[in-house]
Amino acid sequence: MNFNELQLHPLILRAITEDGYEHPTPIQARAIPPLMDGNDLLGSAQTGTGKTAAFALPMIHRFAQMPNKGRAKVISGLVLAPTRELALQIKDNFDRYDRKTHVKALAIYGGTSKHNQIVKIKRGVDVLIATPGRLLDLMQMRVVKLDHVQMAVLDEADQMLDMGFIDDVKKIMKSLPNTRQTMLFSATIPKPIERLAQSLLKSPIRIEVAPQNRPLETIDQEVFMLRRENKKALLTDLLKPNQFSSALIFARTKRGADHLAHYLKKKGYFSGAYHGDKSQRERERVLNAFKAKKIHVLIATDVAARGIDIDQLSHVINYDMPETKETYMHRIGRTARAGATGRAWSFCSPEERHLLSAIQQHIGFKLPQNLDHAYVIPANQAWDKGSAKSQPKKKKPYGSRHKNKSRSYQKSFKPKTHKYA
Ligand code: AMP
């Protein structure tokens, strides 16, 4: 299928063609036609599948047909997102797709002054992209009115639930006209999301792409078993200059992320930390520097990293193992976006083996173990004795491995498709 067949507004088609979109991704091919016909939708899709365009294009398509001249802009589309990062990300996408039309999108979120947002809302907006808390604030102040909303989207509903936003979401959705069209997207559809969907959607079309227990096949996943105290040293071994283009590293805590960023800086890497204790301005600065490849290593916590969308991210590194299988899926979904290939490396210490077990059970296979590093835990201490056949392995200095470039060494350390920074 190509985009022409979807009968999108010609100005949208021109914008996405210029952006190099040739074919709709599976979720776009399946969601856009029923959405253009006015159906409600319940979508289960991983991040990186192109789900933003799946809801943004039909919205822009509809609003681009509304007259522009002689009409005061009213909020006709609403997108709710759990974090400001995701809200900004969605707004970026809207700006790209609607840039040739008169449709105007605005993102509002907490942690920054209301004043500028209010001024922009008063100038007129077609699509409002919002985090629930800030939206409720502005609704209470009567700055935002939602009684003309025709299309509403709830994005990453499972994250809304995790973050305790569900009551806010319900309150907001109650203030929308009953005649609206509603779309709900979630990486997973646990029972509470199912119930929420039942209360908000009318006879929805259900679409599931890339089943949630099968990680995107374009991601090369590996696990490194090692002691916690060796993680930093392994990281510096792996992040040798010219071996990666950009790496997103996940740390469990904000302090841990800061600590690691500081350590890598001292080692001479252009690195930055990205988490909830940083000001909005600081986060934007670091993220822009990372996108522009001025910073090559970004250390983030999970909540902050939701919605980060970076082209050509070559590596995701789980410095600390993710606490849940869903988090693992979200993290590794940051690489290999829209068809590119990427690598996901997980550092697993003995204390974290149960987390690895849960992930492997979820994805249905054992993650290949990388045995070609200096900190491999000896076989008699390894948890997975079966897969550690080629052990025991003595700790070797990095240089000696480097001289002896085995095939597996080359496989492990060379990114496959990305140009080096
Ligand atoms: P999403 O899952 O919406 O976060 O999208 C992931 C990435 O895929 C974003 O960088 C989009 O710009 C990109 N993308 C979305 N749809 C397409 C498409 N049809 N062709 C190429 N890239 C796309």
Side-chain angles (χ1 to χ4, degrees):
M1 180 183 255
N2 67 37
F3 273 109
N4 286 326
E5 294 169 57
L6 293 175
Q7 299 179 337
L8 287 163
H9 194 288
L11 294 177
I12 302 177
L13 211 52
R14 215 185 291 166
I16 58 176
T17 309
E18 273 180 19
D19 278 4
Y21 288 20
E22 285 171 9
H23 303 285
T25 63
I27 191 161
Q28 291 161 5
R30 291 171 62 194
I32 292 174
L35 288 177
M36 286 179 37
D37 285 345
N39 290 291
D40 280 5
L41 184 134
L42 174 59
S44 162
Q46 285 177 17
T47 183
T49 53
K51 71 181 159 74
T52 315
F55 64 76
L57 299 181
M59 283 176 108
I60 301 167
H61 173 82
R62 179 166 334 165
F63 304 145
Q65 294 173 41
M66 301 195 305
N68 188 28
K69 290 210 174 79
R71 175 182 73 93
K73 280 190 185 300
V74 289
I75 298 168
S76 309
L78 176 71
V79 181
L80 289 179
T83 64
R84 50 191 169 184
E85 284 72 25
L86 184 61
L88 281 167
Q89 188 61 60
I90 296 170
K91 156 86 161 73
D92 276 357
N93 281 327
F94 267 91
D95 286 351
R96 271 159 59 191
Y97 308 143
D98 70 16
R99 67 180 186 270
K100 297 189 185 288
T101 70
H102 60 75
V103 175
K104 196 161 171 34
L106 174 73
I108 60 167
Y109 41 84
T112 180
S113 134
K114 286 186 192 122
H115 177 74
N116 285 347
Q117 297 177 355
I118 293 173
V119 170
K120 286 181 186 159
I121 291 168
K122 288 192 171 159
R123 272 190 219 139
V125 173
D126 296 296
V127 179
L128 191 66
I129 301 145
T131 53
R134 175 55 56 97
L135 178 58
L136 275 176
D137 266 6
L138 296 186
M139 284 165 70
Q140 270 150 18
M141 291 168 69
R142 301 191 184 284
V143 175
V144 170
K145 292 202 185 86
L146 299 178
D147 41 5
H148 286 92
V149 168
Q150 301 174 27
M151 298 173 87
V153 178
L154 228 82
D155 199 13
E156 308 222 339
D158 50 347
Q159 177 78 349
M160 300 262 198
L161 189 79
D162 288 352
M163 294 174 76
F165 289 152
I166 285 299
D167 288 340
D168 287 355
V169 167
K170 285 182 183 158
K171 224 184 274 174
I172 293 166
M173 297 303 284
K174 262 200 191 126
S175 66
L176 304 182
N178 266 334
T179 48
R180 67 168 194 264
Q181 180 182 7
T182 314
M183 293 145 259
L184 188 153
F185 290 86
S186 193
T188 56
I189 316 265
K191 280 264 149 55
I193 297 291
E194 187 80 52
R195 280 197 293 272
L196 183 72
Q198 270 168 19
S199 70
L200 297 177
L201 306 176
K202 292 186 198 117
S203 320
I205 309 281
R206 287 183 82 115
I207 296 181
E208 190 178 334
V209 289
Q212 62 215 36
N213 59 352
R214 198 150 42 88
L216 301 171
E217 274 147 16
T218 45
I219 304 176
D220 209 344
Q221 303 165 70
E222 276 186 319
V223 64
F224 295 72
M225 299 296 299
L226 76 170
R227 301 206 178 288
R228 192 167 39 191
E229 59 271 24
N230 290 331
K231 285 191 175 184
K232 261 196 220 153
L234 176 64
L235 187 65
T236 28
D237 272 7
L238 295 180
L239 294 183
K240 290 287 173 205
N242 298 336
Q243 304 284 5
F244 69 105
S245 65
S246 53
L248 178 60
I249 302 181
F250 284 95
R252 197 167 49 80
T253 64
K254 297 170 197 167
R255 269 192 62 196
D258 277 338
H259 183 70
L260 205 51
H262 185 66
Y263 169 83
L264 288 173
K265 253 187 211 151
K266 277 206 322 215
K267 290 267 170 198
Y269 292 93
F270 295 109
S271 59
Y274 189 86
H275 56 66
D277 279 356
K278 302 266 175 204
S279 68
Q280 179 62 18
R281 184 175 293 192
E282 175 66 3
R283 286 208 223 178
E284 276 169 29
R285 192 189 64 73
V286 171
L287 193 57
N288 288 337
F290 190 56
K291 283 184 176 172
K293 302 257 165 42
K294 288 180 188 149
I295 285 178
H296 299 137
V297 189
L298 189 68
I299 301 109
T301 54
D302 287 303
V303 168
R306 274 313 268 223
I308 292 185
D309 177 18
I310 299 146
D311 286 342
Q312 299 199 335
L313 179 62
S314 64
H315 290 68
V316 165
I317 301 179
N318 293 317
Y319 186 83
D320 293 312
M321 288 298 285
E323 297 282 324
T324 66
K325 48 195 194 293
E326 287 81 12
T327 311
Y328 179 77
M329 303 302 293
H330 279 294
R331 286 184 181 184
I332 69 167
R334 304 279 128 213
T335 184
R337 315 268 289 173
T341 53
R343 319 200 107 203
W345 290 339
S346 298
F347 292 5
C348 181
S349 68
E351 303 78 24
E352 295 170 307
R353 285 168 184 168
H354 64 289
L355 300 173
L356 178 62
S357 268
I359 290 163
Q360 296 187 139
Q361 214 165 7
H362 180 67
I363 60 181
F365 61 89
K366 271 188 187 159
L367 288 175
Q369 205 173 315
N370 186 311
L371 302 172
D372 193 12
H373 64 97
Y375 310 100
V376 176
I377 297 182
N380 58 357
Q381 291 169 39
W383 151 69
D384 181 0
K385 288 187 181 148
S387 71
K389 268 190 240 132
S390 50
Q391 296 177 44
K393 188 161 179 131
K394 290 219 172 74
K395 181 172 168 174
K396 286 191 266 174
Y398 179 72
S400 66
R401 274 189 306 108
H402 202 64
K403 271 179 235 142
N404 175 22
K405 275 189 184 167
S406 66
R407 269 194 56 172
S408 66
Y409 168 82
Q410 293 182 12
K411 177 181 175 289
S412 310
F413 291 86
K414 280 197 175 163
K416 269 188 185 157
T417 56
H418 296 281
K419 292 209 172 69
Y420 300 147

